[in-house]
Amino acid sequence: MSTEPAPLSIVEVQRSVFAELDRIAPVIDELGERFVAAGHELALVGGPVRDAMLGRRHNDLDLTTSARPEETERLLKGWADAVWDMGRAFGTIGCRKGEWQVEITTYRSETYDPSSRKPDVDFGDSLVGDLRRRDFTVNAMAVRLPGREIEDPFGGVLDLAHRVLRTPGTPEDSFSDDPLRMMRAARFAAQLGFDVDPAVTAAMTAMADRIEIVSAERVRDELVKLVCAPLPRRGLGILVETGLAERVLPELPALALERDEHHRHKDVYEHTLTVLEQAIDQEHRLESAPDFIVRFASLMHDVGKPRTRRFLEDGTVTFHHHDVVGAKMTRKRMKALRFGNDEIDAVAKLVELHLRFHGYGTGEWTDSAVRRYVRDAGDQLVRLHILTRADCTTRNRRKAERLQRTYDDLEARIAVLAEQEELDALRPDLDGNAIMRILDVPPGRVVGEAYAFLLELRMDLGPQTPEVAEAALRAWWAERSGE
């Protein structure tokens, strides 16, 4: 599991930022001289400054300037390899120079109308004023160019060394200007391992309802960044504790089912966060990490439990069909957050299948059952392996080892059958053209039914010769025609 980052000293912060400024000097020094010569101010700002102090390198640079967008665009032409202006309405001109992507934004301020989902953008007239409008002090630092003087009017360096998130002004004013900053607090806590200042937490709790004016797309994007961060459990806990999760992902706090001395069962909320962390530990099995699909499926896999919980007379608790119910709830939530259909289908499939492994007892898997497992998982098979293994959070070491051995056996069976039968492309032994020729029928519903019959035959018996498959098809057709 991910570990907490070590604390920083001011000396380490200074050393890191100066080393990073030297690395990106070919861009920032030339641009700084270019803007100053034209009578404008220019500064590296925000995330790149923060990350430089943390020793984190990247080639996407954010700068701010006193120049208006049209002047910025003029200064970049002839210097940059490419220039674009998609962000012109927000004062931003972008460009590429070699391996660096650069965005330069005119000093500005953003405020929200209480009933609006979009910020109003006004140009500002000073660097300090631009920094004051930013979300947190660790993002409200700048490096003036080309002289490289650090501008830190709100104590961001100290907060960064102490790993704490505070706002430049009052958190109430900051969150009134842009309510999405409340979610950013949780996201940065998850990304950077920072604590949230108590005053910020209090404002988030008091103002959680304000998040409802923010568009679903912006909320979704912050949630994805949080879930894909190194420490998502920390950020998700903040969303739940402040009440923000009730507004953006209510299925998560609902997992904290009430318990009493007569009806003992696992804490589903804590179990879910543990499953998430255990899934992250297995992401090395995927081609790329972090993987949002497997992480969000881990987060949502038990959301059907609150709706399906039943108490039996002997005091035990059941959650029958919570996998199917949870998959429907997952689809509904992801649609509300404006996720794409492919992502929705992938996550919902994993939620629906996460119990499939446990339906086969202690490993008495027939070849037919293995084929169906692979077919139903489809292109989510590796993620299903990860989720199923991560879902074992029992403290009973012997039980946990037994489950892992059983799943090892299943994966080995899949590998053997895959090599023998090309499981990744399971198809009937006869295609549609052969079905129409043998049965002498035109394209239509009958062909689909015959295809489904042959696919089930393939699942049960494995690959068959065309002759055996044809005989089975004719027998099926004769029985069906005689009904």
Side-chain angles (χ1 to χ4, degrees), residues 159-420:
D159 286 343
L160 186 141
H162 291 163
R163 294 192 177 278
V164 64
L165 292 170
R166 292 189 307 109
T167 53
T170 68
E172 290 81 7
D173 286 345
S174 181
F175 300 153
S176 290
D177 286 346
D178 186 353
L180 192 67
R181 291 172 177 173
M182 295 186 287
M183 287 196 67
R184 285 198 197 122
R187 189 246 293 183
F188 285 128
Q191 285 183 332
L192 306 173
F194 284 18
D195 293 321
V196 180
D197 183 77
V200 175
T201 301
M204 291 168 66
T205 304
M207 302 176 67
D209 284 347
R210 280 282 287 167
I211 198 66
E212 294 174 1
I213 74 164
V214 180
S215 69
E217 290 83 358
R218 296 183 76 211
V219 169
R220 174 202 63 207
D221 291 347
E222 281 299 321
L223 188 61
V224 169
K225 291 174 184 176
L226 189 161
V227 170
C228 291
L231 300 168
R233 184 175 191 142
R234 176 188 285 258
L236 292 167
I238 292 169
L239 291 184
V240 171
E241 291 161 15
T242 58
L244 281 165
E246 290 278 1
R247 281 79 178 176
V248 301
L249 193 65
E251 295 80 5
L252 183 60
L255 293 175
L257 301 173
E258 71 279 3
R259 294 190 294 173
D260 60 56
E261 58 182 326
H262 302 297
H263 299 112
R264 285 182 273 175
H265 53 80
K266 282 184 180 179
D267 185 322
V268 184
Y269 172 71
E270 290 297 327
H271 163 76
T272 294
L273 296 181
T274 300
V275 171
L276 171 61
E277 291 181 324
Q278 292 185 168
I280 291 171
D281 288 342
Q282 296 182 63
E283 282 185 327
H284 59 84
R285 302 183 60 175
L286 298 167
E287 293 182 2
S288 61
D291 185 85
F292 174 75
I293 299 298
V294 79
R295 292 189 182 200
F296 203 62
S298 301
L299 200 59
M300 301 294 284
H301 79 284
D302 274 349
V303 296
K305 280 191 170 181
R307 291 191 182 180
T308 58
R309 183 175 59 159
R310 300 291 181 271
F311 296 119
L312 303 184
E313 291 183 359
D314 62 0
T316 58
V317 183
T318 65
F319 303 98
H320 293 314
H321 306 302
H322 77 267
D323 46 348
V324 177
V325 172
K328 292 179 180 178
M329 294 172 64
T330 297
R331 285 186 177 278
K332 183 177 181 180
R333 177 55 50 200
M334 293 185 74
K335 285 180 180 178
L337 289 170
R338 305 292 193 270
F339 279 97
N341 290 334
D342 289 346
E343 290 173 302
I344 294 173
D345 290 343
V347 175
K349 177 184 285 188
L350 291 170
V351 173
E352 186 169 359
L353 294 178
H354 82 274
L355 289 182
R356 181 69 62 87
F357 164 71
H358 300 285
Y360 290 92
T362 56
E364 308 85 15
W365 287 68
T366 63
D367 286 351
S368 174
V370 174
R371 294 185 193 104
R372 283 181 166 79
Y373 193 79
V374 173
R375 177 197 63 183
D376 292 346
D379 59 0
Q380 300 304 316
L381 182 60
V382 177
R383 289 186 174 113
L384 183 58
H385 291 333
I386 291 173
L387 176 57
T388 303
R389 288 181 180 276
D391 197 22
C392 175
T393 61
T394 178
R395 295 179 181 178
N396 184 322
R397 184 173 59 84
R398 294 176 65 181
K399 181 180 179 181
E401 290 175 350
R402 184 174 68 251
L403 286 170
Q404 294 298 336
R405 283 196 306 271
T406 303
Y407 207 88
D408 288 342
D409 292 342
L410 172 59
E411 286 204 56
R413 292 277 302 284
I414 290 173
V416 170
L417 281 178
E419 185 175 353
Q420 294 174 348

